[in-house]
Amino acid sequence: MRSIKGLSIRRFIWIPVGLRYMIVAVFFFSLMSLMAKLVASTIPTGQIVLFRSGVGAILGYWWVRMVGIPLWGINKKLLIIRGLTGFGALMCFFWTLITLPLAEATVLFYTSPCLAAVIAAILLRESLSIYTITGLLACIIGVICVVQPEFIFSGVAHEQHLPSVAVGLLGALLAALAFVSVRKLRQTDHASVIVFYFSFVSIFACIPFVVVDAAAPSSLEWLVLIGVGVATHIAQVFLTRSLHREQTSKAMGISYVQILFAAGWGILIFGNYPNVLSVIGMILVAGGSITAASRR
């Protein structure tokens, strides 16, 4: 028993450090998703993102000063773009948590690596290989299995909200753009600066949404909202470090562990047991995105 345990530990240690960073990142992303889901029905989406961004900006500022590097970075234009795309992705994801189970909202969001491969083909004129096309088709079929529209799965589907699905896929598209920008920024800017910009830009982007719709959190909701900010900041730090050390395809491939975390939280906390079709869909989305990203 001791030898088996020791072997497992050694295997984990020999995982490249960039991938270990990603495993830590997705665990904290799953905690963020869980806490956001807990307050999503009573606290407006913009307000959740504002709290998350405010806490993240404070922690990010402190960390940049601790490291002793320039706060405002070098490639300011791309840093702002990364912040705006990340903000949009987060808004979309939190909004889907209101009407979709945690695992299904997460799997829609995690079509982003496959979308990134397609975006690269369009914007960067990279060729679409058979692997990319196969991965994209697997993602499409997987999303259909997760959403289960009644006109296809008559008598099998559980009720879903197609607008939430559309918003979830929009969030995945914005996340794909954010991932590409982070990978590009590694050439010019420190990971801590990239994380700080994400939160800093998001604060200003949130203001119009909060002015229109805001709520007074209870004492417990205050704690949960602060937890959302802390968990997201830790996740962003490890995500950015992972993308600095590993190829995007490898890092995003291991990130699909979050689907397992989300399914686990959904079962333990909310009693959301995915049916067989949903599980098949999750596997197809994960496998398709990994194939498309790693074989671009």
Side-chain angles (χ1 to χ4, degrees), residues 265-278:
W265 292 129
I267 293 171
L268 291 174
I269 307 299
F270 304 105
N272 294 327
Y273 290 86
N275 59 27
V276 175
L277 279 174
S278 291

Side-chain angles (χ1 to χ4, degrees), residues 16-26 235 238-239 241-242 245:
V17 65
L19 298 186
R20 277 185 270 159
Y21 283 157
M22 182 58 76
I23 293 172
V24 176
V26 297
F238 280 97
L239 169 69
R241 288 184 175 182
S242 175
R245 289 176 174 264

Side-chain angles (χ1 to χ4, degrees), residues 182-257:
V182 168
R183 185 66 179 168
K184 181 68 175 177
L185 282 166
R186 73 188 179 92
Q187 301 173 0
T188 56
D189 288 279
H190 192 276
S192 300
V193 174
I194 299 172
V195 173
F196 168 74
Y197 257 87
F198 178 23
S199 298
F200 182 75
V201 171
S202 295
I203 290 175
F204 292 95
C206 282
I207 292 176
F209 295 93
V210 176
V211 170
V212 173
D213 189 16
S218 65
S219 300
L220 180 59
E221 287 171 339
W222 272 104
L223 293 176
V224 174
L225 289 169
I226 293 173
V228 168
V230 173
T232 311
H233 178 75
I234 295 172
Q236 282 294 329
V237 169
F238 280 97
L239 169 69
T240 305
R241 288 184 175 182
S242 175
L243 292 174
H244 270 58
R245 289 176 174 264
E246 292 290 338
Q247 292 180 352
T248 305
S249 59
K250 292 182 180 179
M252 295 315 299
I254 201 70
S255 72
Y256 279 91
V257 174

Side-chain angles (χ1 to χ4, degrees), residues 8-268:
S8 300
I9 293 174
R10 285 196 296 273
R11 283 180 177 176
F12 179 77
I13 292 174
W14 283 106
I15 295 174
V17 65
L19 298 186
R20 277 185 270 159
Y21 283 157
M22 182 58 76
I23 293 172
V24 176
V26 297
F27 172 74
F28 279 98
F29 273 129
S30 74
L31 286 179
M32 173 210 73
S33 303
L34 171 63
M35 289 185 283
K37 175 75 171 175
L38 290 172
V39 297
S41 60
T42 56
I43 304 296
T45 302
Q47 196 170 349
I48 298 175
V49 177
L50 179 63
F51 274 94
R52 171 257 171 270
S53 302
V55 174
I58 293 171
L59 294 175
Y61 176 84
W62 171 78
W63 185 249
V64 170
R65 290 307 186 196
M66 287 287 291
V67 175
I69 56 178
L71 178 65
W72 300 112
I74 298 172
N75 193 343
K76 296 180 177 61
K77 181 178 179 180
L78 190 56
L79 284 165
I80 293 174
I81 291 173
R82 188 271 177 271
L84 290 174
T85 53
F87 161 76
L90 205 57
M91 284 286 291
C92 291
F93 178 61
F94 284 171
W95 193 82
T96 60
L97 291 175
I98 299 173
T99 54
L100 294 177
L102 180 58
E104 294 174 9
T106 301
V107 79
L108 288 174
F109 188 76
Y110 267 78
T111 58
S112 52
C114 191
L115 294 175
V118 177
I119 291 171
I122 297 173
L123 298 182
L124 305 179
R125 298 183 179 178
E126 296 182 357
S127 60
L128 277 174
S129 68
I130 186 64
Y131 297 101
T132 302
I133 296 172
T134 302
L136 178 60
L137 290 175
C139 278
I140 293 172
I141 296 172
V143 169
I144 291 173
C145 289
V146 170
V147 176
Q148 299 170 28
E150 284 191 43
F151 65 89
I152 297 177
F153 299 98
S154 179
V156 178
H158 49 77
E159 185 178 354
Q160 295 285 359
H161 298 269
L162 291 181
S164 296
V165 174
V167 172
L169 292 175
L170 174 61
L173 175 62
L174 293 171
L177 293 171
F179 292 145
V180 172
S181 64
V182 168
R183 185 66 179 168
K184 181 68 175 177
L185 282 166
R186 73 188 179 92
Q187 301 173 0
T188 56
D189 288 279
H190 192 276
S192 300
V193 174
I194 299 172
V195 173
F196 168 74
Y197 257 87
F198 178 23
S199 298
F200 182 75
V201 171
S202 295
I203 290 175
F204 292 95
C206 282
I207 292 176
F209 295 93
V210 176
V211 170
V212 173
D213 189 16
S218 65
S219 300
L220 180 59
E221 287 171 339
W222 272 104
L223 293 176
V224 174
L225 289 169
I226 293 173
V228 168
V230 173
T232 311
H233 178 75
I234 295 172
Q236 282 294 329
V237 169
F238 280 97
L239 169 69
T240 305
R241 288 184 175 182
S242 175
L243 292 174
H244 270 58
R245 289 176 174 264
E246 292 290 338
Q247 292 180 352
T248 305
S249 59
K250 292 182 180 179
M252 295 315 299
I254 201 70
S255 72
Y256 279 91
V257 174
Q258 186 175 345
I259 294 177
L260 299 179
F261 287 139
W265 292 129
I267 293 171
L268 291 174

